[in-house]
């Protein structure tokens, strides 16, 4: 009886140790995420993308695969700590990937040229934004556009209007800027109309 009791006890302890060791840990997950490595990986994939010949829709499978990997990397920025780390680590004079963020550091956009022109999607824009204790991601659709700046206008305690300034060109042209308004409502990103007074303000500051 004593032997059976000891065996049962050892088996129980082994199972408990195995359960604890396999249990996911937020701390280890956060340590595994490196903002510098994330930005470097995005730049590396973007460099690979630029080297691929997409004439007449060549190499489309490989191009789509790389774009999907980049999308997943961006969508992996799921915590405030990761979000803020990217803002601190990003250097537009060093990094190739497009990354802009609002003055309140609550909203940002990753942009890159996809080389999927034959699919009508030459530029990819993914917004990441803070909501409660999480960071959410949302693709920005519509005409392909390169965003250069984000302005934030706090309209009340719970609502902020984010104004994205961009152009349909790959090079910034202050005379050809287009503004798009977005708000975060119940955790979802939605387009929002920009008040005329705010449009005038944006136009004046852009010149």
């Amino acid at each position: 009886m004593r032997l059976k009791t000891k065996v049962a006890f050892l088996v129980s302890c082994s199972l408990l140790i195995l359960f604890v060791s396999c249990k996911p840990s937020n701390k280890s997950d956060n340590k595994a995420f490196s903002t510098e490595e994330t930005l470097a990986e995005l730049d590396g994939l973007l460099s690979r993308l630029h080297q691929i010949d997409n004439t007449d829709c060549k190499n489309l499978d490989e191009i789509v695969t790389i774009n999907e990997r980049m999308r997943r990397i961006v969508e992996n920025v799921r915590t405030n700590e990761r979000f803020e780390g990217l803002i601190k680590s990003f250097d537009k004079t060093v990094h190739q990937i497009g990354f802009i963020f609002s003055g309140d550091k609550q909203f940002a956009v990753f942009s890159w040229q996809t080389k999927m022109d034959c699919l009508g999607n030459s530029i990819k824009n993914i917004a990441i934004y803070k909501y409660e204790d999480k960071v959410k991601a949302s693709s920005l659709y519509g005409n392909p556009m390169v965003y250069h700046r984000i302005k934030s206008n706090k309209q009340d305690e719970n609502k902020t209007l984010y104004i994205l300034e961009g152009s349909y060109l790959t090079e910034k042209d202050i005379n050809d800027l287009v503004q798009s308004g977005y708000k975060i409502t119940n955790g979802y990103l939605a387009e929002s109309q920009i008040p005329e007074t705010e449009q005038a303000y944006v136009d004046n500051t852009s010149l």
Side-chain angles (χ1 to χ4, degrees), residues 46-62:
L46 190 60
S47 294
R48 281 181 55 191
L49 205 54
H50 288 165
Q51 295 169 8
I52 300 174
D53 181 15
N54 67 334
T55 307
D56 297 327
C57 293
K58 289 180 182 176
N59 304 304
L60 189 56
D61 287 345
E62 183 180 3

Side-chain angles (χ1 to χ4, degrees), residues 104-122:
D104 63 3
K105 298 180 181 179
Q106 302 291 307
F107 188 101
V109 176
F110 277 98
S111 300
W112 67 88
Q113 294 185 44
T114 64
K115 299 196 78 171
M116 295 193 298
D117 304 65
C118 62
L119 298 178
N121 183 18
S122 59

